[in-house]
Every structure is written in C-alpha cells, then in structure tokens.
Amino acid sequence: MKQRHHTIFYLFTAIIIIVILLLLKFGYIDKLDLSPEKIRDNLLKFGIYSPLILITVQFILAIISIFPSAIFSVAGGYLFGLFYGTLYSLIGTLLGSLVVFLVAKKFGRNFVKKLVDKRELHHFDLFFKKKGKLVFIFADYMSIFPRDTVSLCAGLTNINKLNFMVISLIGFIPGMIILNYFGSQLSK
C-alpha cells in the first residue's frame, strides 16, 4: 500500500513537471499576463465563484511555488477589498501549507530531502534547534524561503498540526494584509 502511494505521488509530480516544462518550452508562461488587473479580470469571469477560484489558486501556490503568490494576494485585494481579499488568500495559503506540512509528517525526512535543497534543510535544522518555532513564523513573515519549503521543513519537526496552523497564521497575516491593502488601493 505504501509503495502504491509513492508511485501515485511520483506520477502526479512527473505530470506536473512535464506540463510546466511544456508550457515553458512553447512560451505560454512567458505570455502570461500576471498583472493584478489581468488576474482580477480573469477572476471576475467566474462570477460568484471568484472567491473559490482565488482560494484554490492560493492553495495550489502554497503547495507548488510556480508563480509568486503575492501577485494573487494583490489581485485579491484589488477585486475583493482588504478584508475579503486577505481572508480568501489566507484560507487558500493556510490549507495548501497544511497539506504540505502533513505530507512531510507522513513521508518523513528522506522524502523531504528529495524536494528541498540540502543547504536549506540544514539551515532549517540549525535554526529550529536554536530558535524553536519562531523560525517558522519569521520564515513565513519574511518570505525568505518558498512557502512549500517552509511547510516541508516544519513537517520534520515536533510541531503538531494545530501549532503549525497558528504559527503559519501569525507569519502569513502581516504580509497578506500589506499585499491586499496595496491591491485594494489600486482600485481607487
């Protein structure tokens, strides 16, 4: 059963990588307009489902950092305003980060070593031993590392799921508010 989970995960990862490489090769990613205005216009096409789409995009970007999620936070503030833009971005980012955290908890260090650069993993290990949980708050707040890397490394520690969610919220909220505030001001 465990082998089957690994096979499915590797197959899924390979498909995503192949799709991204094909998009890059044929120039589709270069042609993407990731301006807050264009993202807002695309989100508006989904009508009442726009919040769900923003949450889903933030969820995916917390799992796989292919684009900077900050752009979507700005667009969320632009479309939904400060409060709701922040709320929707937080929900998606927190849920995506939680999934990555739980995957790291389940599959352990050997799995994470395949996804995270050895130096980054070593830095997290050292910092966590010295500073404890605060490392993850600052890593999320300062956005030094991609969110998926922070969540993977947090999953290797003794932090439980509830603590991880609280720590992540503390780390995410200031940046999300700033980005969504900026987005909300674009509409004025």
Side-chain angles (χ1 to χ4, degrees), residues 45-109:
K45 292 177 185 176
F46 292 96
I48 63 171
Y49 299 107
S50 296
L52 186 59
I53 298 301
L54 179 61
I55 290 169
T56 303
V57 168
Q58 292 288 35
F59 173 83
I60 291 167
L61 292 176
I63 294 173
I64 305 168
S65 299
I66 34 179
F67 302 115
S69 63
I71 296 168
F72 290 90
S73 294
V74 171
Y78 192 19
L79 178 57
F80 301 113
L82 176 61
F83 179 78
Y84 288 107
T86 301
L87 179 66
Y88 300 147
S89 291
L90 276 172
I91 290 170
T93 302
L94 185 62
L95 291 175
S97 296
L98 180 62
V99 166
V100 173
F101 172 81
L102 293 174
V103 165
K105 281 277 189 212
K106 178 164 180 62
F107 294 108
R109 182 169 287 276

Side-chain angles (χ1 to χ4, degrees), residues 142-157:
M142 300 298 288
S143 299
I144 298 168
F145 299 98
R147 286 213 168 96
D148 53 350
T149 300
V150 174
S151 301
L152 282 167
C153 292
L156 298 179
T157 67

Side-chain angles (χ1 to χ4, degrees), residues 95-148:
L95 291 175
S97 296
L98 180 62
V99 166
V100 173
F101 172 81
L102 293 174
V103 165
K105 281 277 189 212
K106 178 164 180 62
F107 294 108
R109 182 169 287 276
N110 287 334
F111 173 76
V112 173
K113 281 181 182 179
K114 296 173 185 173
L115 301 173
V116 176
D117 183 82
K118 284 191 323 187
R119 290 175 295 180
E120 288 179 358
L121 187 56
H122 180 69
H123 286 123
F124 272 107
D125 287 341
L126 290 175
F127 290 142
F128 185 74
K129 285 178 186 169
K130 288 181 183 177
K131 304 292 184 190
K133 297 174 187 174
L134 290 175
V135 160
F136 298 106
I137 293 173
F138 292 123
D140 285 331
Y141 178 71
M142 300 298 288
S143 299
I144 298 168
F145 299 98
R147 286 213 168 96
D148 53 350

